[in-house]
Amino acid sequence: MKTYEIPVDLKQQITSNQAFHYRIIPISKIEEVLQLKTDHPDPDSLQKELTIILGRTVNIIPETTENIQSYLTFNYRKTTASSSEKLQYEDQFLQKLIATAKDFGSSDIHMEPYEKLSRVRFRLDGKLKEQYTIVNTEYPQLVNQIKIQSGLDISQKRLAQDGRITFKDGTHEFDIRVSTMPTLYGEKIVLRLLNRDTQEVSLNDLGFTETEIKEYREAIKKPQGIILISGPTGSGKTTTLYATLKELNKETTNILTIEDPIEYTLQGINQVQLREDIEFDFPAALRAFLRQDPDIIMVGEIRDDRTAGMAIKAALTGHLVLSTIHTNSAWATISRLIDMKVPAFLLANTITMSIAQRLVRKLCTHCKTKKKSETKDFPQGFTIPEEMEEHYTATGCNQCYHTGYMGRKAIYEILPITRELETAIKHNELEIDAYIEKRKIKTLQHNAIRMIIAGETSVEEVYALLTDS
């Protein structure tokens, strides 16, 4: 099978914009001579033009249009910015790097030093992909540039640091959360690109089923209580919260949020940035919030006993509280809060709904392949449903950049806290499998299986959710 992957050091010889505009692919570099493949109808004129633009000797090798297209989509991503915007960043690597990551739809940029080279990876649709390599002599300069822009101490290389950059270009303005960490060969940096635009954030588009969204909307209409969303980092919890706030945002309602960091900005909502360096943490902010006559409070994350206690207190005193927590299922949130020393009777009286969610990559509709379901494809002990005699697998094509997937969708586990569950919580009866089965509550596993049967995702993508552990 023909492979279209190009080594990263070659790939970065030309930009994504140049690759698609001229339909060129770098295949080798010997000293200053760059060898390119193309399907251009006039290779000689292209060679002359590229020699001037790239400032080096260029050799052109003809290639079929089909192969060039495969090379392009496997190695590069089309960007959304205009050519004039691209040229603006050609001189500054950091600016170009951030602008490119944003155009690609990346959520994070990872910069990692190793013994011989440093690498840059983008997180695209939840998966990391290597984009650039940097010689180690140039890497410290890049680190210092990031530290200066984010207000960090450039002389401190032995401790982890956190900062923030506001990035502006011709069309975008967004914030970047910066995290540095000392490693064996230097400082690793992660840049989290924060999206300020809430125009496209809507509860209807996240992945709720009709039943789930109806139950959720009923819960958020209540004037008091606490609603918790659980899941690992990067599972879309914050997006769900912002979509909720956007729906609840009315002239008659006072909404306050405490976040670290503020990932979106919403007109009409009072958003507060956590400042632990001056002891303005979640509990301190919540105490201040209760004196601000709030109707709805959003706490970015319940991290510890004090935050949990203050959130419960806020819900008890007649406010609707929305927050996130790190647990594996909707019911596990209950035991986690009890572990955080929240009294069971208070928890039972305040919690309105517990939700768990995950982000699942969707199969590319252009290239997904059907295959017969076999036991070896599934986790040990998993019973294959009758409806799943066949399932789809990821293949990869020019439409999906040869990943096999296009876009992501959230799946949810919605657990309204009924009187029956309130009683179970008060008596610390935390085994509710029979209740979930009786009430036909759709778990994460059930919704993952539903997506496989519908041909929306692959077994590999939701493999972890199919296990019983």
Side-chain angles (χ1 to χ4, degrees):
M1 182 179 174
K2 186 176 178 63
T3 176
Y4 294 101
E5 188 163 6
I6 304 168
V8 173
D9 60 332
L10 266 179
K11 186 164 60 176
Q12 67 190 49
Q13 297 300 316
I14 61 171
T15 67
S16 175
N17 206 41
Q18 290 166 340
F20 278 99
H21 180 72
Y22 293 106
R23 297 187 63 79
I24 51 175
I25 296 296
I27 57 168
S28 71
K29 178 178 175 285
I30 303 170
E31 295 180 350
E32 286 305 307
V33 179
L34 185 62
Q35 202 160 42
L36 304 167
K37 283 186 175 182
T38 185
D39 62 353
H40 196 281
D42 190 353
D44 291 337
S45 65
L46 179 64
Q47 183 174 15
K48 291 173 185 175
E49 185 176 346
L50 289 174
T51 299
I52 296 169
I53 288 170
L54 300 176
R56 63 173 68 177
T57 304
V58 172
N59 284 342
I60 299 291
I61 300 172
E63 181 57 275
T64 65
T65 296
E66 184 182 356
N67 281 345
I68 288 293
Q69 191 60 40
S70 294
Y71 274 117
L72 286 171
T73 52
F74 195 94
N75 296 282
Y76 296 98
R77 288 202 173 213
K78 279 190 174 180
T79 59
T80 56
S82 68
S83 298
S84 60
E85 287 165 0
K86 289 287 163 223
L87 293 172
Q88 185 179 350
Y89 300 111
E90 288 297 318
D91 296 333
Q92 291 183 296
F93 179 71
L94 179 59
Q95 293 287 81
K96 171 189 168 186
L97 187 71
I98 294 170
T100 302
K102 186 67 174 176
D103 290 337
F104 284 3
S106 171
S107 60
D108 302 85
I109 304 171
H110 288 241
M111 302 178 186
E112 304 156 323
Y114 295 98
E115 185 178 7
K116 295 179 180 177
L117 277 175
S118 299
R119 70 175 177 179
V120 177
R121 295 187 291 171
F122 291 173
R123 188 173 290 282
L124 301 162
D125 288 335
K127 302 293 180 182
L128 286 168
K129 184 171 177 60
E130 190 172 338
Q131 297 292 327
Y132 299 97
T133 56
I134 305 168
V135 293
N136 280 352
T137 53
E138 295 177 3
Y139 185 74
Q141 183 181 350
L142 180 62
V143 170
N144 286 341
Q145 193 179 352
I146 292 169
K147 282 184 162 185
I148 290 167
Q149 290 195 27
S150 56
L152 301 181
D153 183 355
I154 63 171
S155 65
Q156 180 55 266
K157 303 179 189 299
R158 296 179 298 171
L159 292 175
Q161 298 186 70
D162 294 302
R164 198 178 184 92
I165 296 172
T166 297
F167 182 85
K168 296 179 182 179
D169 68 10
T171 54
H172 302 111
E173 180 176 341
F174 57 92
D175 294 327
I176 301 168
R177 186 173 64 183
V178 180
S179 172
T180 73
M181 183 179 68
T183 66
L184 181 61
Y185 296 107
E187 290 178 279
K188 171 180 166 65
I189 292 185
V190 176
L191 306 180
R192 165 64 62 88
L193 309 186
L194 306 175
N195 187 3
R196 290 184 175 182
D197 184 16
T198 57
Q199 279 189 322
E200 297 179 10
V201 177
S202 169
L203 286 177
N204 294 324
D205 302 326
L206 296 182
F208 286 106
T209 64
E210 284 186 27
T211 303
E212 288 170 346
I213 199 164
K214 184 179 178 182
E215 287 181 328
Y216 185 60
R217 283 193 164 118
E218 283 297 314
I220 64 176
K221 284 177 184 175
K222 294 181 179 178
Q224 64 187 63
I226 186 166
I227 296 172
L228 293 171
I229 302 177
S230 68
T233 302
S235 58
K237 303 184 296 296
T238 304
T239 302
T240 301
L241 280 182
Y242 275 108
T244 306
L245 291 177
K246 188 177 176 185
E247 192 157 304
L248 294 172
N249 188 13
K250 295 179 175 63
E251 186 184 346
T252 55
T253 306
N254 181 22
I255 301 177
L256 297 168
T257 77
I258 174 68
E259 306 166 64
D260 183 32
I262 296 172
E263 295 195 25
Y264 298 83
T265 54
L266 281 169
Q267 184 71 26
I269 289 177
N270 306 283
Q271 296 175 266
V272 178
Q273 170 67 47
L274 194 74
R275 290 289 304 275
E276 290 185 327
D277 56 329
I278 56 172
E279 297 184 1
F280 189 66
D281 54 11
F282 283 126
L286 279 167
R287 278 193 296 272
F289 280 9
L290 293 178
R291 297 189 290 271
Q292 287 282 319
D293 185 31
D295 297 298
I296 298 168
I297 296 172
M298 192 268 268
V299 182
E301 182 185 344
I302 292 180
R303 297 177 179 172
D304 52 38
D305 302 7
R306 290 171 61 230
T307 309
M310 283 302 301
I312 292 294
K313 181 181 176 182
L316 272 173
T317 52
H319 308 96
L320 177 62
V321 178
L322 307 171
S323 190
T324 70
I325 192 168
H326 286 279
T327 60
N328 290 327
S329 68
W331 186 244
T333 295
I334 307 300
S335 53
R336 177 81 179 105
L337 288 169
I338 291 172
D339 289 343
M340 286 181 169
K341 301 183 177 60
V342 175
F345 73 94
L346 283 184
L347 185 58
N349 290 335
T350 54
I351 190 160
T352 303
M353 177 174 280
S354 181
I355 300 165
Q357 79 173 81
R358 298 290 188 276
L359 273 181
V360 177
R361 289 189 296 169
K362 295 190 293 183
L363 285 167
C364 172
T365 55
H366 299 91
C367 65
K368 64 181 182 181
T369 307
K370 188 180 283 189
K371 67 166 290 189
K372 185 175 175 60
S373 296
E374 301 177 65
T375 306
K376 64 182 178 63
D377 297 329
F378 296 85
Q380 190 173 0
F382 179 80
T383 304
I384 302 173
E386 290 181 10
E387 313 98 295
M388 209 190 288
E389 289 183 4
E390 296 178 316
H391 64 274
Y392 286 91
T393 60
T395 304
C397 68
N398 291 338
Q399 297 292 326
C400 61
Y401 300 100
H402 292 270
T403 63
Y405 298 91
M406 284 184 74
R408 291 189 291 176
K409 177 182 178 180
I411 57 172
Y412 294 89
E413 182 175 297
I414 305 282
L415 186 65
I417 306 301
T418 60
R419 290 190 180 278
E420 192 174 341
L421 286 184
E422 282 181 26
T423 304
I425 294 169
K426 285 176 183 175
H427 293 91
N428 210 19
E429 297 168 357
L430 301 181
E431 289 296 325
I432 62 160
D433 290 348
Y435 174 88
I436 287 174
E437 190 172 339
K438 181 178 75 175
R439 290 295 185 105
K440 296 182 179 178
I441 290 168
K442 304 298 187 277
T443 62
L444 287 171
Q445 185 185 85
H446 177 278
N447 284 327
I449 291 170
R450 177 177 55 81
M451 281 189 73
I452 295 171
I453 292 171
E456 291 183 283
T457 195
S458 65
V459 173
E460 293 81 7
E461 178 65 10
V462 295
Y463 193 90
L465 294 176
L466 301 181
T467 61
D468 291 325
S469 57

